[in-house]
Amino acid sequence: MIRSSRPLIGLLMIASLAGAADARKKVKQPQMAPVNVTTIGVNAYLWRAALDTLSFMSIAQTDSNGGVIITNWYLNPAVPTERMKVSVSILDSALRADVLRVATARQVYQNGQWVDAAVQAATNAKLEEIILQKARDLRRNAAANG
């Protein structure tokens, strides 16, 4: 009786080891959402993040295939003698900092007319940073949801 139980014990051990191997395969590894989401011609995370970032301004022109967003002039109610216009270009389908370009134009109201004025160098860099951070957050959320 002892001899006949040895093969049975061996089979049970093999089955439990196989089950442990299957359990290791079933452990869900954290996954990242794809970096190159391009159903529109450019990186969808950057596109959505740019639109969200500029949502307080009215949009004059968009081209999702070319990756261009241009706003109308925005007049801040707190500073009625100054207005700004923003242009965003997404140059590639990758989610990288070097594929995003932001250009800002600024005008001030003087003597009854709008006159071009300098934009602080940090303004464009700050807008790019905000858009990139939102795009990364969108990517993380996409990975978490599915």
Side-chain angles (χ1 to χ4, degrees):
M1 186 144 181
I2 294 175
R3 287 185 191 164
S4 63
S5 64
R6 282 186 185 173
L8 181 60
I9 292 172
L11 286 173
L12 288 173
M13 288 180 65
I14 291 172
S16 67
L17 290 175
D22 285 343
R24 279 181 279 166
K25 289 179 187 176
K26 292 179 183 175
V27 172
K28 194 167 190 170
Q29 297 294 325
Q31 293 185 353
M32 293 296 289
V35 176
N36 295 341
V37 178
T38 59
T39 58
I40 56 173
V42 295
N43 186 280
Y45 301 124
L46 284 173
W47 182 258
R48 180 81 258 156
L51 287 173
D52 288 350
T53 301
L54 299 175
S55 64
F56 69 97
M57 303 175 88
S58 65
I59 304 295
Q61 181 180 2
T62 61
D63 177 6
S64 61
N65 286 323
V68 176
I69 302 170
I70 301 172
T71 68
N72 287 313
W73 286 103
Y74 173 73
L75 186 66
N76 185 346
V79 187
T81 60
E82 179 180 293
R83 65 184 187 174
M84 303 206 55
K85 186 175 195 172
V86 178
S87 172
V88 175
S89 299
I90 302 169
L91 307 173
D92 192 32
S93 61
L95 176 52
R96 295 189 330 253
D98 64 340
V99 303
L100 179 66
R101 297 284 183 268
V102 174
T104 308
R106 178 176 166 254
Q107 291 183 338
V108 292
Y109 195 70
Q110 294 177 344
N111 301 323
Q113 61 184 356
W114 290 103
V115 179
D116 289 337
V119 176
Q120 292 181 359
T123 301
N124 294 335
K126 186 64 177 172
L127 280 170
E128 287 176 1
E129 181 183 320
I130 291 167
I131 292 169
L132 285 166
Q133 186 57 50
K134 282 188 181 201
R136 290 181 192 117
D137 292 344
L138 287 169
R139 181 175 179 224
R140 268 192 294 276
N141 291 340
N145 293 330

